[in-house]
Structure formats: C-alpha cells, structure tokens
Amino acid sequence: MRKLICSSLLLFNILLTTVFAQEPLKSVDPLIGTAHARYFHFAPGAMPFGMAKPAPSTNGSLGNKSGWEATGYDYRDSSIENFPNFHEFQIGGVALMATTGVLQTIPGNMDEPSSGYRSSFDRKDEVAQAGYYSVLLKDYGITAELTSTERVAFHRYTFPQSEQSHILFDIGNMMGESGKVKDAEVKINPDGTVEGYVVTAPVYVEKYQAGADIRMYFYAVPSKQAPRFGVFQGEQITNDVTKVNGISSGAFFTYSTKKNEAIELKIGLSYTSVDAAKANYLAEAEGLDFDSAKKRNQKTWNSMLGRIKVEGGKDEDRTKFYTGLYHALLGRGLASDITGTYPKNDGSVGQIALAKNGKPVHHHYNTDAIWGAFWNLTQVWAIAYPEYLSEFVNSQLLVYKDSGWLADGIANSKYVSGVGTNFVSLVIASAYLQGIRDFDVALGYEAALKNELEGRDRPRGAGKLDVDRFVKNGFVPHIDESDNEIHESWMFSASHTMEYSFSSYAVGQFAKALGKTEDYEKLNKLSDGWKHLFDPELKLIRPKSEDGTFVENFNPSQAWRGFQEGNSYQYTFYVPHDAKGLIDAIGKEKFNIRLDSIFIKAEPLEFGGGKTIDAFSGLEGMYNQGNQPNLHVAWMFNYSGKPSLTQKWIQEICNKFYGTEGIHGYGYGQDEDQGQLGAWYVLGAIGLFDVAGLTKPEAKMGLSSPLFDKVTIALNPKYYQGKEFVIKKKIGKATGTYIEKIMLNNKAVHEPFIPLEAITSGGKLELEMGNTPKDSYN
C-alpha cells in the first residue's frame, strides 16, 4: 500500500509539472493591491508557504502603531529603503541594502531619500513575479534581485564600477509589523559569513501575550569577501570591528566593483537559533546559486498554482485568478526548521516528531487569525491542497499541546489573536468531517471542545473571552460600557453570539461523528444561539441584555456596538450552518427582496467602501466584500430559491470589487488578510462555494457561473480517490451569465449544489449557460 501511495504521489507531481507547464506563473501579478497593503501581502521572492520571504520595503521602517495598519511596501511610494527577509503577521526584519558612494547606515526619510541609504526607483525598472523580484536602485545604479528556497533568502546585487560599493545588514531596526526592537546582534565571522539575531516586541504579541517576544535568526554567506567591513549602531560607524549588540545594530561590507559585477548572498533563516539558520542554509542552499534557486522556486510555484488550471475566459480574469491563488499560498509561512525544531509558546525550542526517514512528520507555521478563512482559504486548501490543511491542523495542535489552548493567530507560537475570537476548532472539525484525519484525532477533539465551552483561566490570546457567558445564557449578553480595557471581552456581544453559534455547530458535528452524544446535544443546542438575538419585528439580529430585552436606541448600520467590524445588516446573514432556518425566520420572499436590494445598493460602492483607501471602509454599509463577516452572503440565494441572483452578484463582485492594479486590487486598500480575499475570488471564479465552510458531514458546494470555459482541479491521491475534477461550460452554449442546466458525470442535477465528495472522487461537471435567469433545475 505504501509503495502504491508513493507511486501515485510521483505521478501526481509529474502531472503538475508537465501538463500545467509554465502558464500559471505568467498570470500572477504580485503588485496587484499593494497600495495600503498589510506587511505580509507583498513578498515576491518567497516560495509557497515559505519561511524566507525576501521583498522590497518602501515604508516598513516607519513602524506600525496599532499592529495591523498597512506598512511595508506601498505601490504609491517612489523609493525603496531596503530588502527585509521575514514577512509574516507581526514578524518582520533582517533587512539588507546595497549602495554606492558615501556610506549611510539609516534608511532615511521618504520625503528626502538622500537623508539615508534609501533609493528612488521607477516602476518601469521593477519586475515582480511569483518567486522573483528585481528593481533598479536609481540613486546607485544597482540592480537588486531576490528569490528563495523554503528557508533561505537569495539576494543578488549587480553593481556599477565603483570603489565604494556597499552591502548593509540592517538588523536592529523596526520593520513592518514587528514592533519595537528589544535586542539585536550582528557578527562577522573570519570566513566572511555573517550571523546574528533580532528580538522584537510586536504590538499584538504584547497585547495578547504580555512579556513574550519574537526572535529571528540568520546566517548569511556572501559570494565574495570584502576588503573593508565594519559595524554600526544607527549613524555611528565603526570600521574593522566584527561584532555589535543592541538596538539599531548592523554590519557593512565595502567592495571595489567592476561594471556589472554581481555579488550574491544566501541567508539561512530560523526562529530558533543561529545554528538552525546555518543548518537550514546547508540543507537547502549550499550547492545552489541564484539562478538555480530562482528556477527551483518558480517551478514549485507553477506546480502549486497549476493544481487548478483554467482555460478560456478573459485575460484579466485569469490574472485576478492566479494572483488570488498566489496570495492564498503565500500568506502563511514556515516556522519550523529543516530538522523539525520550532519556537514554542513559552519561548523555548520544541521538536516535532521525526519519521523513519529522519524528517519531521509535519511542519509548523505562522498564521494570522483564521477569522473568516472558512469562506475562502480552508475551502481552497481542502479541495486542491489537502496536505497543507492537514499540516495547518497539526501545527495548531502543537501550540495546544505546549500551552493548553488553541491560539488562533500565532507568531512564533505566541498568541496574536487579532480579533479576539477563535475558529481553529471549526477548522479542525471540518478537516475531520471531510476525511482529512492524519492528526491526533483525540487531541484535536479535546482542543476543539475546550475552545467552544471553557472560559475559566482562558488567556487573552486564546480569544473567546466571553464564551462562558455564551454557554451560560445561550447568547452573549450585551454590555454598552465597561471599565475593562479588553474590548473583545464585552464589546461584541451580537457578533460573538453569531460566531460562537456557528463554531458550536461545527464542533457538535465533530462530536456526533465520534459518538460523543452528550457533547453533541449540548453543542447543537448552543448552535441555535443566533435565535435569541433575532428580532421578529425588524427581522434583524439585535443585541440583547442579560435580562432578555433588546437594546434600545438601536441603529442597524452602527458598527462597534455589539458588532465587530460590521453591523446588524451584515451580521444578520451570519447563520451559515442554518441558512434555511434564517430564511424561514425572515420569510423567503422578504429575504430575497432584502438581500437583492442590499447588493443593488452596494454595487455603486464597488461592493466595499467605494474608492476610499482604507482597510475599514465599508464597515457601516449594508454589504462589505472587503471584510470577513460578509463573504458568504452572495451565495445564500442558492438556499432561497433564487440561484440566478447568486450567479449574477458573484460575477458582479468579481468584476467590480477585484481589480488588476496596484491601487484597485482587493477593493481600494481593503484588507486582503493573508490571501483570504484572493482565495474568495478563486472560489467565485470557478463557481464553487460552501456557505457552511465544510462543517456539515455531507458537505455540499453551492454552484455559480464559472468565469472560465474549463476548470481542471488536480486532486491529491494521498487524500482523494479521484485524479481530477473538471468544470466545463458546454460547447456551443458557453455564453451568458446564468446556468440553465447542470450535469454531473452525465446525470442531471436538480439543485444548485453538488456534494464535495463528487469533487474529491473525480469527475466532470457540465454547465449549459444562457442569458436568461433560471431558478429551477427540475
């Protein structure tokens, strides 16, 4: 059996690298949506899910006051300060820069690039691809290039003729979301290699796990030794010294270069130690040069992106599609070393179990909060990348074993919950229910159940600080004012009730599947929590006080009063596990009229915050594609007898909210959140989506109109029986927005849904399209 599985995996990889060839990578544009983008959004030098994420920074050294604002690279900027190698949620640092002329050791001011080592650049001199980046630093005449292996960043700087060509390691300064620097060290070894570390205190780490910090280590190997070198702290330069400690620490190398002389650097990275960074370098990069690493990197991107092949359709839709899929595979990054060592929650170093071949049985990853990811990322992972969904679950269970709680968002295993909820239990449950079970199921269930029901001694970083009130009352009672500075513990009563109801349902299904009848009954009852807050007169979700009365002075458009990053109009539709129950409560006709009118009103605002460049624009609108609470809503017409409206509005959102520009990419500067909005586009463009986030035992994918003539999904044989699943518009009737007839494996389908199992078993979905809305498939 083992030989059979290995043979199947080999054939699977051959299929991906030959049949799907080079096309997917050519359609990726990493510059899309980089205006007002989060720090981890733009890392073109990275590999899928890689640790090494080299990229240019235009404003990352300016910091990040609240921990979440846009920082790092902004499409509107015209100068580059340096090239950091770590790009994760709350993690950034180990920056390099190349210059000529008088040595400068601070980045300088954006308004006056000459005040530091910063350089101006032109967009025409910039190349950004999946796995590769290059740019001409105009002020120095230097071409900078970036690529990587999984844990090793590759830099290549091509210099002009100069007696003063410099490479800087700027280690001890703030970068992106990393927060203030607590300590740093840089050491130049006798053989010319460079090693060191930086310790930072990100805002969200301080917020959710006070006293903890983030540690980043590196080991760098330049291709040429420098005749002159030294260290610096800020603007204080010390020549011929090989070691420096403290904030603002760095090192420099000065060369005499010929015209077009290239110097390469390979930088092994780690979150555990310099020795591990060196081991990562030796294992992955010792025998590679820049061009070989780039070729390997981009071959991997083509293979991963090629698991979903699209044909036909518009070129701009293809660009949006593969860029969205690229972001879905870029957002989370490795946190474990080649040997399986990883940073533990308490700051020590852990060891992942090793298989008989000496390799770790799984990897560990950094990750932003999973809030809303069940409507985009986890569905894409489950269908096309089930091995990563498995790794995600195993990774999260490491933190549970080490700390006693599921941690939602993690930076080096430290708690960075972000939104104060915790949906990791839902993801564990959905993975199990859909057959992805190569994790410790007993431990996974224990962790998931605890996450849903226990509030005692719950650390802030585990989120759900009001879950005990939900369990006690069946809903979270509203509090209008409190002296408690931890807002998520009291401020979002209604949205938390809706969210906890959903996750209770998911874990309840997990319990039922395992024969845990008592737990199932308790959780299933809690899943009806949304009904407590449903106002039968307004037909809206409305916060309720502990005495059972609805709050007064109620404004359905108001955000931040009972609702997190949204309002009553938006959260009323947050019943993904019981869509038909919500439709019955509102009334089918009223439901359809209301929901359709919401999209009619949202369309002039491009289904978000209009052209306002801000992550939070649209929070008080009736629909906001730029934030997580809304992302399933357009698919709910499939449950209310109006699938044609799902087909209409999904296409309109894909066409108008999503763009192909630096400023208009994911709305206008709205929050892409580690690939979530990109993954949503992927699902919308191929016409598959589960409102319930794959939490039902016999999950069904809702259908919409694909943007492409043919979609081929390659299935992983380790997890699924089928070889591939094909979605095809029937020849001769490939025009029109609306689905007229549905055929699955040559059999008529009479509803706008197909089982997930039909996809993972392999087969063909054929759709006859037309210009007239059709709502019945009998």
Side-chain angles (χ1 to χ4, degrees):
M1 178 62 72
R2 184 174 296 171
K3 289 182 179 179
L4 181 61
I5 291 173
C6 291
S7 297
S8 297
L9 287 171
L10 178 61
L11 290 172
F12 179 57
N13 290 330
I14 291 172
L15 170 70
L16 295 178
T17 55
T18 56
V19 177
F20 295 157
Q22 295 294 316
E23 291 306 309
L25 183 140
K26 293 179 180 178
S27 296
V28 174
D29 184 356
L31 288 165
I32 288 175
T34 49
H36 196 77
R38 296 278 288 280
Y39 179 65
F40 43 67
H41 179 84
F42 187 66
M47 289 187 73
F49 304 120
M51 176 187 293
K53 294 185 176 180
S57 174
T58 64
N59 60 21
S61 66
L62 303 180
N64 189 285
K65 182 180 178 181
S66 301
W68 59 266
E69 298 99 337
T71 186
Y73 180 95
D74 194 311
Y75 187 83
R76 298 166 295 179
D77 293 340
S78 58
S79 64
I80 287 172
E81 57 187 3
N82 52 34
F83 301 95
N85 294 292
F86 286 105
H87 278 82
E88 298 289 357
F89 180 54
Q90 302 298 296
I91 300 174
V94 184
L96 273 64
M97 184 57 175
T99 67
T100 59
V102 176
L103 178 65
Q104 297 188 81
T105 54
I106 60 171
N109 192 304
M110 291 180 64
D111 297 328
E112 189 181 352
S114 62
S115 63
Y117 59 63
R118 178 187 296 272
S119 174
S120 59
F121 76 104
D122 287 336
R123 196 68 60 192
K124 66 180 178 62
D125 298 321
E126 184 180 40
V127 176
Q129 301 171 350
Y132 174 74
Y133 177 84
S134 73
V135 68
L136 175 65
L137 302 173
K138 285 177 59 180
D139 297 349
Y140 306 118
I142 297 171
T143 297
E145 298 174 274
L146 307 171
T147 192
S148 69
T149 61
E150 289 87 344
R151 300 172 180 85
V152 182
F154 284 66
H155 294 232
R156 181 163 65 190
Y157 299 105
T158 302
F159 290 91
Q161 182 176 350
S162 174
E163 295 299 313
Q164 292 182 301
S165 294
H166 313 289
I167 293 177
L168 286 75
F169 285 74
D170 192 348
I171 307 302
N173 286 322
M174 182 183 298
M175 177 48 59
E177 296 177 356
S178 67
K180 62 186 178 183
V181 173
K182 295 173 64 176
D183 190 19
E185 179 177 287
V186 186
K187 178 184 175 184
I188 303 171
N189 297 316
D191 62 356
T193 58
V194 192
E195 62 186 54
Y197 63 83
V198 58
V199 183
T200 66
V203 171
Y204 272 37
V205 171
E206 290 193 320
K207 180 178 180 181
Y208 289 102
Q209 193 170 336
D213 55 40
I214 297 296
R215 295 169 183 262
M216 293 163 273
Y217 300 87
F218 72 95
Y219 175 83
V221 181
S223 62
K224 180 181 180 180
Q225 290 208 26
R228 288 165 285 170
F229 58 86
V231 298
F232 59 85
Q233 281 190 299
E235 294 184 89
Q236 182 179 346
I237 299 170
T238 308
N239 292 297
D240 301 322
V241 172
T242 59
K243 186 177 180 180
V244 64
N245 298 84
I247 297 169
S248 299
S249 292
F252 68 89
F253 297 88
T254 300
Y255 302 87
S256 296
T257 55
K258 301 175 183 178
K259 183 180 180 181
N260 294 327
E261 181 176 351
I263 298 176
E264 298 184 11
L265 297 102
K266 296 183 277 191
I267 305 114
L269 304 172
S270 174
Y271 295 114
T272 63
S273 69
V274 169
D275 286 344
K278 183 176 181 179
N280 290 338
Y281 157 75
L282 291 172
E284 295 183 3
E286 186 179 26
L288 288 180
D289 61 11
F290 186 95
D291 290 327
S292 297
K294 175 189 173 185
K295 183 177 180 180
R296 178 180 179 274
N297 183 319
Q298 296 200 309
K299 183 179 180 181
T300 302
W301 272 113
N302 269 313
S303 176
M304 292 287 278
L305 293 168
R307 291 200 194 180
I308 307 179
K309 180 185 178 184
V310 297
E311 301 175 65
K314 300 177 183 176
D315 287 344
E316 68 173 307
D317 291 342
R318 184 181 176 84
T319 296
K320 292 179 189 178
F321 178 86
Y322 280 116
T323 303
L325 187 56
Y326 161 78
H327 281 123
L329 302 177
L330 176 72
R332 277 74 178 152
L334 279 168
S336 55
D337 300 311
I338 194 77
T339 59
T341 49
Y342 72 97
K344 294 179 69 173
N345 177 266
D346 64 3
S348 63
V349 176
Q351 175 65 57
I352 298 169
L354 303 179
K356 290 181 180 179
N357 62 5
K359 295 182 179 180
V361 295
H362 65 81
H363 298 106
H364 188 44
Y365 298 87
N366 287 304
T367 174
D368 193 0
I370 206 71
W371 198 52
F374 34 79
W375 288 325
N376 35 66
L377 287 173
T378 63
Q379 294 191 44
V380 170
W381 297 342
I383 294 170
Y385 310 94
E387 75 280 12
Y388 177 74
L389 180 54
S390 169
E391 293 236 314
F392 179 86
V393 172
N394 278 296
S395 179
Q396 293 286 354
L397 290 180
L398 275 185
V399 180
Y400 177 76
K401 285 191 289 186
D402 292 341
S403 71
W405 295 90
L406 290 173
D408 200 14
I410 50 174
N412 287 11
S413 301
K414 309 301 188 299
Y415 297 139
V416 285
S417 179
V419 290
T421 61
N422 192 329
F423 278 104
V424 176
S425 48
L426 181 149
V427 176
I428 295 171
S430 67
Y432 179 86
L433 292 166
Q434 306 318 322
I436 298 171
R437 299 175 179 180
D438 49 350
F439 61 90
D440 186 334
V441 173
L443 184 71
Y445 179 73
E446 174 190 306
L449 187 66
K450 184 176 183 180
N451 192 47
E452 295 306 311
L453 299 179
E454 293 194 23
R456 188 176 63 179
D457 299 325
R458 193 176 184 111
R460 186 177 186 183
K464 302 183 79 160
L465 297 183
D466 48 6
V467 72
D468 51 350
R469 295 162 57 213
F470 174 74
V471 173
K472 176 184 175 182
N473 298 282
F475 67 98
V476 180
H478 184 72
I479 300 173
D480 251 331
E481 294 184 5
S482 174
D483 294 331
N484 190 339
E485 294 181 358
I486 303 178
H487 293 166
E488 67 268 24
S489 69
W490 61 270
M491 194 172 177
F492 307 123
S493 60
S495 59
H496 282 184
T497 296
M498 308 304 284
E499 291 168 338
Y500 301 170
S501 297
F502 180 27
S503 57
S504 291
Y505 171 82
V507 179
Q509 298 306 304
F510 192 9
K512 186 177 182 181
L514 294 177
K516 309 283 188 181
T517 304
E518 186 175 340
D519 292 342
Y520 163 70
E521 291 175 351
K522 184 173 187 177
L523 290 161
N524 198 50
K525 183 177 180 181
L526 288 171
S527 73
D528 285 334
W530 67 274
K531 296 177 181 178
H532 290 282
L533 302 191
F534 185 81
D535 185 331
E537 294 184 10
L538 297 178
K539 307 289 186 182
L540 292 169
I541 293 298
R542 183 173 177 178
K544 183 178 282 188
S545 300
E546 192 159 14
D547 63 5
T549 60
F550 287 115
V551 297
E552 298 180 354
N553 303 315
F554 175 59
N555 176 2
S557 296
Q558 184 179 1
W560 307 112
R561 187 193 181 205
F563 300 95
Q564 186 168 19
E565 300 186 26
N567 57 46
S568 176
Y569 286 127
Q570 296 174 10
Y571 269 100
T572 291
F573 296 102
Y574 203 118
V575 192
H577 57 295
D578 190 11
K580 290 184 178 179
L582 176 66
I583 293 165
D584 289 344
I586 294 175
K588 183 180 289 188
E589 184 177 358
K590 187 179 183 69
F591 178 92
N592 286 325
I593 292 171
R594 179 195 288 180
L595 191 52
D596 191 35
S597 68
I598 283 173
F599 285 107
I600 291 170
K601 292 175 182 177
E603 187 173 11
L605 296 173
E606 316 233 8
F607 303 100
K611 295 185 178 180
T612 301
I613 300 177
D614 190 284
F616 280 164
S617 62
L619 292 195
E620 297 197 348
M622 300 187 81
Y623 180 81
N624 181 18
Q625 178 69 19
N627 216 336
Q628 284 86 341
N630 296 251
L631 297 181
H632 66 300
V633 174
W635 296 87
M636 294 189 75
F637 291 110
N638 278 343
Y639 296 88
S640 62
K642 286 289 184 179
S644 62
L645 290 177
T646 282
Q647 295 155 29
K648 171 186 176 180
W649 292 118
I650 293 300
Q651 289 215 12
E652 290 296 320
I653 293 168
C654 286
N655 291 338
K656 295 179 179 176
F657 178 84
Y658 292 87
T660 57
E661 304 162 6
I663 295 175
H664 179 203
Y666 299 92
Y668 287 81
Q670 295 205 256
D671 199 351
E672 217 281 353
D673 248 350
Q674 287 190 294
Q676 290 203 34
L677 293 181
W680 189 97
Y681 183 92
V682 168
L683 294 168
I686 65 176
L688 296 174
F689 188 94
D690 180 20
V691 165
L694 305 181
T695 61
K696 294 184 181 294
E698 296 179 355
K700 290 185 176 182
M701 304 295 291
L703 302 181
S704 187
S705 309
L707 299 182
F708 307 102
D709 297 337
K710 185 179 180 182
V711 178
T712 305
I713 303 170
L715 300 169
N716 188 331
K718 180 180 177 182
Y719 294 90
Y720 302 133
Q721 294 179 347
K723 177 181 177 183
E724 63 182 24
F725 185 75
V726 176
I727 304 167
K728 190 174 182 180
K729 295 179 181 178
K730 290 201 72 172
I731 295 174
K733 292 193 175 183
T735 59
T737 300
Y738 300 103
I739 298 172
E740 293 188 343
K741 187 176 182 181
I742 305 168
M743 298 289 289
L744 178 63
N745 298 328
N746 298 316
K747 294 182 179 180
V749 176
H750 302 296
E751 60 177 3
F753 299 94
I754 61 171
L756 176 65
E757 187 179 9
I759 297 172
T760 59
S761 296
K764 182 188 292 185
L765 175 68
E766 293 181 289
L767 303 172
E768 289 189 10
M769 308 301 297
N771 292 309
T772 303
K774 184 174 182 180
D775 292 316
S776 176
Y777 300 105
N778 294 326

